[in-house]
């Protein structure tokens, strides 16, 4: 019996992983060769998907990719089940520099096993963090999280330990853990990969959070664009319930935790935590004014910890290895690792988990291999649709929350999108305004009206009708949006717009000097 | 006038007992019949103990929910930044030109509805297109033509 591994990951399936798995099965049947195919998460070397890994004696694996249905006959002919050479042979993926240069703490298991096999999760260190947490007790769990220096990976980078402490201290009959799995930022997919590739990890992280703050009920607010993640999460929850991990006292304690998945309905603003809560309560996703903080008054008015998927998925490792071990990775106030998502015009787009402190250049060129088109890189956008566009000479900046904020950049959810010189940044600025207008919840005027006005101004500028007056209006508008919006959607849309203007004025039909007159606003 | 069948009535009875059941119920209706008929709203409102304005407000807030029947097939094309960096505008143009409709439109024969999406999480394998819920990556103009051809 030969064992093969093929990813069952939304992005791998999008490029044919299901068809490849089916074709391999069929070919093996025709050739009378007994095989078994284990569907896994993806390692995140996406340009190579669909990948087939063949298990050899001793458990070593040899990979082939990107495999097409047409190549399967020749793979069998060449004896790939014995690990023979073939033009598609990639060798042992664990030795591939793209994987080898990473520091995989969160993603350590993803790609290797069946995500829904509880046995293999436990065999690979699963639930060690939760057991440790129960041994330590809530206060010490929060101490470890605080010591680790973990900051929210959803975008705002708020220290997780402080957030948990606030909810722990709040006195209430009911508290909640809400996982923000709305992952609305273009260019990001790490949450999806965790949910599809290692769902028990997220469940464990949420259970630890629940134990620490005294919340016995959790929700995962999942965007509707992720049907596979939805299916995998629901199956994983069912497995945990049947094995007494969810809904029953945990590992000898008196604490029990249960959770369910709630599906969003296509609203970007519902990634913002208070809009998310409104939506989770069954209402329109309108942003709530703060205070009160959700940590004190959240879901149905009860103290609620809201954390991003990656934040929660970092927690089990921190507990099982200790907060200090986690804090040993990274730099300054940016501790630990970040799963960076590389996409856009790149040779090697994918998921790269690295400690903070790596340069953007190492990410874009070292891992990403530069533009796929072979044309000069013009700009990167870092931090999602509300992040700035940065030109090539900013690539020496280090991945570090504070370093990036010095140049008005953000880490956001860790997405980096690369654009080549065919891109017109004025178009991208227009798109940013359009996106904001499209997705605005409508609660405040700077965002609702401002984004529409911004779109109109950008249209005029794009048609070559931009004069100094339009420029002045645009800067005024951005200033109002920056300072008077209730949430980050309106408040950060000026980032991509102003950065594009500042670094690429010629795309807007303005000279550097004309833009520099507004230096204060930039 | 369209009315709810027994299956939907059972769902309505189930979801209306939950404090946050309205959005999951809308998902259910759309999954069953492809859209959410406005005629259902009075009954939905009374089951959930909400005003009609409230249930209507929720319905229209979310981009996923439709109040009109879509075409037989639904094509969604990602138009977000990472797909733009990989030339999704060419795919979008090709689709609009081949189908002779704009985003949000349905072909006159009722066969295809074309919708924009902001990111499928397939950014590393873009441009991304979903046809009737099945996602396709690395889509170029030839591939979108083939996809459209496969349903016409
Ligand atoms: C417009 C907007 C959209 C957001 N979208 C997301 C999202 O999709 N996922 C997410 O985790 N956080 C998102 N956030 C950040 C959340 O408001 C919040 O900071 C986060 O869920 C807190 O979790 P963390 O501390 O673990 O990061 C968004 C914020 C804004 C202003
Ligand atoms: S900034 Fe925009 S999205 Fe945020 S609260 Fe105001 S209107 Fe709503
Ligand atoms: S930007 Fe198109 S799938 Fe993410």
């Amino acid at each position: 019996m030969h064992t093969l591994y093929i990813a069952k990951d939304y992005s791998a399936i999008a490029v044919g992983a299901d068809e490849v798995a089916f074709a391999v099965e069929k070919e093996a049947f025709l050739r009378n060769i007994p095989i078994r195919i284990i569907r896994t998460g993806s390692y995140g070397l996406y340009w190579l998907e669909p990948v087939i890994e063949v298990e050899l004696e001793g458990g070593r694996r040899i990979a082939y990719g990107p495999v097409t249905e047409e190549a399967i006959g020749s793979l069998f002919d060449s004896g790939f089940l014995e690990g023979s050479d073939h033009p598609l042979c990639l060798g042992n993926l664990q030795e591939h520099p793209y994987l080898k240069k990473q520091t995989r703490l969160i993603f350590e298991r993803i790609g290797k096993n069946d995500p829904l096999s509880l046995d293999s999760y436990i065999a690979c260190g699963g639930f060690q963090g939760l057991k440790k947490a129960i041994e330590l007790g809530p206060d010490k769990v929060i101490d470890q999280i605080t010591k680790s220096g973990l900051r929210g990976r959803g975008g705002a980078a708020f220290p997780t330990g402080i957030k948990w402490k606030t909810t722990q201290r709040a006195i209430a009959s009911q508290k909640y853990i809400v996982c923000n799995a709305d992952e609305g930022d273009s260019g990001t997919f790490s949450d999806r990969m965790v949910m599809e590739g290692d769902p028990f990890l997220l469940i464990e992280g949420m259970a630890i959070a629940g134990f620490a703050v005294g919340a016995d009920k959790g929700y995962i607010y999942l965007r509707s664009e992720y049907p596979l993640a939805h299916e995998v999460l629901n199956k994983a929850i069912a497995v945990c319930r049947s094995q007494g991990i969810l809904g029953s006292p945990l590992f000898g304690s008196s604490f029990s935790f249960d959770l369910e998945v709630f599906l969003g309905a296509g609203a970007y603003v519902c990634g913002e935590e208070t809009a998310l809560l409104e939506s989770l309560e069954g209402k329109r996703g309108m942003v709530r004014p703060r205070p009160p903080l959700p940590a004190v008054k959240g879901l149905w008015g009860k103290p609620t910890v809201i954390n991003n998927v990656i934040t929660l998925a970092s927690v089990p490792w921190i507990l099982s290895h200790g907060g200090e071990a986690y804090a040993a990775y990274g730099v300054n106030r940016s501790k630990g690792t970040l799963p960076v998502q590389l996409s856009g015009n790149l040779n090697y787009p994918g998921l790269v988990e690295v400690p903070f402190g790596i340069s953007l250049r190492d990410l874009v060129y070292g891992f990403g291999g530069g533009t796929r088109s072979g044309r000069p890189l013009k700009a990167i956008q870092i931090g999602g649709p509300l992040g700035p566009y940065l030109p090539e000479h900013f690539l020496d900046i280090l991945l570090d929350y504070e370093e990036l904020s010095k140049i008005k950049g953000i880490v956001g959810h860790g997405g980096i999108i690369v654009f080549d010189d065919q891109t017109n940044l004025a178009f991208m600025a227009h798109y940013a305004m359009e996106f904001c207008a499209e997705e605005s919840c409508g609660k405040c005027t700077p965002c609702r009206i401002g984004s529409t006005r911004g779109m109109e101004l950008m249209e005029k500028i794009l048609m070559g009708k931009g004069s100094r007056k339009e420029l002045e209006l645009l800067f005024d508008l951005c200033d109002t949006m920056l300072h008077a919006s209730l949430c980050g959607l309106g408040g950060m849309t000026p980032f991509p717009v102003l950065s594009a203007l500042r670094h690429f004025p010629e795309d807007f039909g303005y000279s550097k000097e004309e833009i520099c007159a507004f230096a204060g606003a930039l | 006038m369209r009315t709810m069948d027994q299956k939907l009535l059972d769902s309505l009875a189930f979801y209306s007992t939950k404090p946050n059941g309205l959005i999951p119920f809308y998902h259910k209706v759309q999954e069953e019949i492809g859209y959410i008929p406005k005629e259902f709203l009075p009954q939905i409102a009374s089951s959930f103990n909400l005003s009609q304005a409230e249930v209507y407000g929720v319905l229209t807030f979310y981009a996923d929910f439709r109040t009109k029947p879509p075409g037989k097939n639904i094509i969604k094309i990602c138009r977000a930044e990472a797909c733009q960096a990989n030339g999704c505008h060419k795919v979008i143009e090709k689709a609009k030109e081949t189908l002779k409709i704009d985003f949000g439109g349905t072909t006159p024969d009722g066969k295809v509805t074309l919708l924009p999406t902001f990111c499928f999480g397939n950014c590393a394998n873009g441009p991304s297109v979903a046809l009737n819920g099945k996602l396709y990556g690395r889509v170029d103009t030839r591939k979108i033509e083939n996809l459209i051809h496969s349903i016409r």
Side-chain angles (χ1 to χ4, degrees):
Chain A
M1 176 74 95
H2 297 274
T3 304
L4 289 82
Y5 299 85
I6 298 173
K8 187 177 172 181
D9 161 284
Y10 201 39
S11 243
I13 292 172
V15 291
D18 279 352
E19 287 80 2
V20 163
F22 182 74
V24 168
E25 196 124 36
K26 191 167 141 201
E27 190 70 22
F29 177 78
L30 291 173
R31 295 181 188 231
N32 222 345
I33 306 172
I35 62 161
R36 107 187 136 125
I37 297 177
I38 295 179
R39 302 299 299 270
T40 62
S42 169
Y43 288 115
L45 284 66
Y46 276 120
W47 74 99
L48 296 175
E49 292 287 359
V51 175
I52 302 179
E53 274 191 301
V54 177
E55 190 167 272
L56 305 177
E57 228 139 291
R60 207 166 63 92
R61 298 183 193 176
I62 296 289
Y64 299 84
V67 179
T68 55
E69 286 173 81
E70 295 73 46
I72 285 163
S74 87
L75 281 168
F76 273 91
D77 289 343
S78 70
F80 85 125
L81 292 174
E82 266 72 42
S84 67
D85 205 16
H86 185 278
L88 294 181
C89 185
L90 302 165
N92 178 354
L93 273 190
Q94 301 305 320
E95 297 298 321
H96 195 293
Y98 202 84
L99 267 184
K100 209 158 179 191
K101 287 193 297 179
Q102 298 190 30
T103 303
R104 291 197 159 202
L105 310 184
I106 302 163
F107 278 73
E108 64 177 320
R109 273 176 299 265
I110 296 180
K112 294 180 180 159
N113 299 312
D114 174 2
L116 287 167
S117 161
L118 197 62
D119 289 342
S120 71
Y121 182 66
I122 291 168
C124 298
F127 295 118
Q128 291 307 318
L130 181 54
K131 283 184 184 148
K132 185 77 189 183
I134 287 165
E135 206 178 293
L136 291 174
D139 289 332
K140 285 193 180 141
V141 170
I142 295 178
D143 279 351
Q144 289 302 316
I145 298 298
T146 306
K147 272 201 189 111
S148 76
L150 178 65
R151 292 163 72 175
R153 304 292 191 232
F158 189 80
T160 307
I162 298 179
K163 190 182 272 189
W164 288 18
K165 186 107 225 154
T166 310
T167 300
Q168 189 205 23
R169 284 195 180 144
I171 296 167
S173 54
Q174 176 73 57
K175 299 178 187 178
Y176 296 103
I177 305 297
V178 172
C179 170
N180 189 340
D182 201 49
E183 195 160 62
D185 288 2
S186 158
T188 69
F189 41 84
S190 59
D191 294 353
R192 175 182 65 68
M193 291 180 74
V194 166
M195 294 185 283
E196 292 170 359
D198 205 5
F200 298 128
L201 178 67
L202 176 59
I203 294 173
E204 183 179 350
M206 289 181 73
I208 295 172
F211 176 73
V213 306
D216 63 359
K217 172 89 194 166
Y219 287 94
I220 299 173
Y221 186 95
L222 177 67
R223 70 196 301 246
S224 59
E225 290 84 350
Y226 287 178
L228 181 61
H230 191 209
E231 178 191 322
V232 175
L233 284 173
N234 277 332
K235 283 184 179 161
I237 291 169
V239 169
C240 286
R241 283 197 189 128
S242 72
Q243 298 300 309
I245 291 166
L246 288 177
S248 324
L250 273 168
F251 303 121
S253 71
S254 60
F255 175 73
S256 78
F257 184 74
D258 206 352
L259 64 88
E260 63 184 272
V261 181
F262 187 95
L263 210 53
Y268 177 75
V269 73
C270 289
E272 195 284 332
E273 56 188 17
T274 62
L276 184 153
L277 290 174
E278 288 288 302
S279 180
L280 185 51
E281 290 180 8
K283 300 181 244 171
R284 295 160 66 94
M286 301 288 274
V287 172
R288 294 177 185 170
R290 255 171 305 206
L293 292 171
V296 181
K297 253 183 146 171
L299 189 62
W300 289 300
K302 304 293 184 199
T304 303
V305 166
I306 305 181
N307 275 134
N308 170 255
V309 174
I310 298 297
T311 313
L312 290 162
S314 305
V315 164
W317 194 97
I318 293 170
L319 266 295
S320 58
H321 295 75
E324 271 159 24
Y326 187 81
Y329 293 104
V331 289
N332 307 320
R333 288 179 52 225
S334 305
K335 300 297 193 196
T337 59
L338 182 74
V340 176
Q341 301 121 92
L342 300 175
S343 71
N345 197 326
L346 273 182
N347 275 309
Y348 311 125
L351 188 286
V352 177
E353 184 178 348
V354 282
F356 284 92
I358 186 176
S359 75
L360 302 184
R361 190 174 301 283
D362 276 348
L363 286 165
V364 168
Y365 286 99
F367 282 98
T371 61
R372 186 191 328 227
S373 61
R375 305 187 62 95
L377 179 151
K378 181 161 181 178
I380 65 163
Q381 187 181 32
I382 175 164
L386 308 176
Y389 287 99
L390 303 175
E392 162 97 32
H393 65 267
F394 275 98
L395 292 189
D396 293 311
I397 300 273
L398 305 185
L399 184 68
D400 173 316
Y401 292 110
E402 279 66 41
E403 287 301 305
L404 270 161
S405 89
K406 280 184 199 156
I407 56 154
K408 300 195 173 177
I410 55 169
V411 172
H413 186 45
I416 298 181
I417 305 177
V418 173
F419 298 83
D420 76 3
D421 67 347
Q422 303 282 78
T423 314
N424 180 334
L425 271 298
F427 273 107
M428 300 315 292
H430 174 263
Y431 173 82
M433 285 292 187
E434 187 188 352
F435 182 72
C436 182
E438 186 77 30
E439 298 295 333
S440 170
C441 83
K443 184 120 174 175
C444 59
T445 340
C447 168
R448 190 183 66 236
I449 309 286
S451 53
T452 307
R453 279 294 288 136
M455 241 171 86
E456 290 161 6
L457 278 171
M458 278 309 308
E459 269 151 30
K460 228 170 164 180
I461 292 173
L462 277 172
M463 290 191 312
K465 291 185 184 149
S467 63
R468 196 190 148 85
K469 187 168 139 259
E470 273 69 41
L471 202 56
E472 234 176 84
L473 286 169
L474 188 63
F475 276 115
D476 263 3
L477 191 76
C478 284
D479 193 61
T480 312
M481 288 176 77
L482 274 168
H483 296 106
S485 298
L486 188 57
C487 88
L489 182 50
M492 290 164 74
T493 293
F495 287 7
V497 176
L498 292 177
S499 59
L501 249 176
R502 172 191 197 176
H503 301 302
F504 308 96
E506 56 295 345
D507 284 5
F508 294 75
Y510 292 109
S511 68
K512 275 235 154 23
E513 291 68 39
E514 284 173 286
I515 298 289
C516 281
F518 297 92
L522 287 166
Chain B
M1 196 173 115
R2 226 183 150 131
T3 53
M4 285 190 231
D5 63 11
Q6 196 53 45
K7 197 165 167 194
L8 285 181
L9 288 172
D10 290 347
S11 293
L12 180 60
F14 173 73
Y15 285 112
S16 60
T17 61
K18 293 181 164 240
N20 57 357
L22 184 57
I23 292 170
F25 180 66
Y26 281 151
H27 273 304
K28 185 89 204 157
V29 177
Q30 190 155 299
E31 192 186 306
E32 292 295 325
I33 56 181
Y35 72 110
I36 298 149
K38 281 194 194 143
E39 304 96 275
F40 289 5
L41 293 183
Q43 194 177 1
I44 294 174
S46 76
S47 298
F48 277 91
N49 231 341
L50 293 167
S51 72
Q52 276 200 56
E54 280 169 315
V55 293
Y56 185 69
V58 172
L59 181 63
T60 51
F61 184 83
Y62 295 97
D64 278 2
F65 300 137
R66 291 182 286 270
T67 52
K68 298 255 153 53
K72 234 177 115 205
N73 301 282
I74 297 177
I75 297 178
K76 292 186 179 176
I77 308 182
C78 175
R79 51 170 304 210
E81 289 90 338
C83 285
Q84 290 187 48
N86 282 322
C88 71
H89 57 277
K90 289 189 206 132
V91 176
I92 293 170
E93 268 162 37
K94 186 53 131 194
K96 288 182 177 174
E97 180 192 304
T98 313
L99 294 166
K100 299 189 183 66
I101 48 175
D102 212 338
F103 271 139
T106 300
T107 51
D109 61 4
K111 269 204 178 146
V112 192
T113 295
L114 184 66
L115 297 172
T117 296
F118 295 102
C119 194
F120 287 102
N122 183 46
C123 327
N125 276 340
S128 315
V129 173
L131 168 60
N132 297 329
K134 180 168 165 51
L135 185 67
Y136 296 87
R138 301 176 196 150
V139 177
D140 53 18
T141 47
R142 202 178 46 82
K143 202 154 159 186
I144 187 77
E145 270 194 298
N146 290 343
L147 282 175
I148 292 172
H149 190 74
S150 75
I151 49 170
R152 290 201 111 187

